[in-house]
Amino acid sequence: MYIVSSYSLAVILCVITMLCWGSWANTQKLAQKSWRFELFYWDYVIGILLMSLIFSFTMGSSGELGRGFLDDIRQAEMSNVGNALLGGIIFNAANILVAAAISIAGMSVAFPVGIGIALVLGVIVNYMASPQGNAMWLFTGVALITIAIVIDAVAYRKKASQSHKIPTKGIVLSVIGGVLMALFYRFVASSMVTNQEQPEAGFLTPYTAVFVFSVGILISNFVFNTILMKRPFEGQSVTYSQYFGGSGKEHFTGILGGMIWSIGMTFSIIAAGKAGFAISYGLGQGATLVAALWGVFIWKEFHGVKGTTCLLVTMFSMFLIGIGMIIYAGI
């Protein structure tokens, strides 16, 4: 299987993860004009599973090092398979809440609040379990990103007050989703080998772990998303007949979104072999900055809102400095 050979390459993959995780929601924004997010989300989950299979049978099955995908599946212990599955279940619950928050509050709010919280708590959880990297630089970077999250919340409050909208539901969903999002990565990491070149028996290689994780997402979606279709956070309930009545373009948009996210997840997991789980996860969740940039400059979510320019510039600056410190923590 393909294995990351250096820290610098691991950082590059983490940056790609950040771009993927911060950009997939654009497909939801594109689809929501005619396609409810509960229906979009089914295709998104299919896209995640499809991309994990593509990686497993290509990068995960080539090369002389490590253990090939099919061999890895055969030797895996059920306890480790269970951890990766549980990671997928937790992620799915979290992601549905964040996706719902995006549809209510917009990308420039749901991502900084939800994924920002996930970044802070997730780095702490993963560093405690596997302390790799300079703690001072790592947690100083996390602290700056926390400040950026608070600044973004202030900016959104200004937006809400000027548009006479109460953002409570969107913010609450973002917070709950963020807390759950902080936990999923540790379960996937605990199922994985610690030495990718000479993988331990019973544990999963990165590509297998992402595949099993994706299966957990799909299985849990039959429960979580079915409930959400019947009792949505906003609007009328939707049915499976509406899903199967969607156009090819609508289905493709959701699948594309899932594949983009899955690329980020796979790169994050394989980069963790050199960067460590805390740094790899923390950099990936810098997606908050990418999503906020999309929300502000492309989707114009703060267009015409007075008094937010300085706040947004400060927020982006804090994020960039914080991400730079997280990268430096691993040098």
Side-chain angles (χ1 to χ4, degrees), residues 36 38 222-233 235-240:
R36 284 280 295 274
E38 296 90 349
F222 284 97
V223 177
F224 296 151
N225 205 21
T226 298
I227 294 173
L228 197 60
M229 288 170 68
K230 293 182 178 181
R231 295 183 177 275
F233 292 111
Q236 300 297 317
S237 61
V238 291
T239 64
Y240 281 103

Side-chain angles (χ1 to χ4, degrees), residues 104 121 134 152 178-179 214 248 254 298 307-308:
I104 296 170
L121 294 181
N134 185 296
D152 181 79
V179 171
S214 302
I298 303 301
T308 59

Side-chain angles (χ1 to χ4, degrees), residues 45-58:
V45 168
I46 292 170
I48 290 176
L49 181 63
L50 178 62
M51 197 68 232
S52 73
L53 279 170
I54 292 173
F55 274 123
S56 294
F57 284 107
T58 53

Side-chain angles (χ1 to χ4, degrees), residues 148-161 302 307-308 311:
I149 294 168
V150 173
I151 293 172
D152 181 79
V154 173
Y156 184 54
R157 182 165 186 156
K158 284 181 174 290
K159 175 190 174 185
S161 64
F302 281 88
T308 59
L311 289 171

Side-chain angles (χ1 to χ4, degrees), residues 49-188:
L49 181 63
L50 178 62
M51 197 68 232
S52 73
L53 279 170
I54 292 173
F55 274 123
S56 294
F57 284 107
T58 53
M59 294 172 66
S61 300
S62 60
E64 298 180 356
L65 297 175
R67 191 164 49 217
F69 171 61
L70 292 178
D71 289 337
D72 200 42
I73 283 284
R74 295 189 190 101
Q75 64 82 51
E77 293 182 359
M78 287 308 300
S79 59
N80 294 317
V81 171
N83 281 337
L85 281 171
L86 182 57
I89 294 169
I90 294 172
F91 167 80
N92 199 28
N95 206 46
I96 284 178
L97 293 175
V98 173
I102 290 171
S103 66
I104 296 170
M107 284 179 65
S108 56
V109 175
F111 259 82
V113 174
I115 308 303
I117 289 172
L119 185 154
V120 175
L121 294 181
V123 167
I124 293 172
V125 169
N126 283 284
Y127 190 84
M128 289 177 65
S130 179
Q132 188 171 340
N134 185 296
M136 184 189 75
W137 285 104
L138 179 62
F139 287 105
T140 301
V142 169
L144 288 176
I145 292 174
T146 303
I147 294 171
I149 294 168
V150 173
I151 293 172
D152 181 79
V154 173
Y156 184 54
R157 182 165 186 156
K158 284 181 174 290
K159 175 190 174 185
S161 64
Q162 292 184 29
S163 61
H164 304 291
K165 293 180 180 179
I166 300 175
T168 304
K169 184 183 291 186
I171 290 178
V172 169
L173 291 176
S174 296
V175 170
I176 298 173
V179 171
L180 290 175
M181 191 72 76
L183 304 177
F184 86 89
Y185 200 86
R186 174 81 319 248
F187 285 97
V188 181

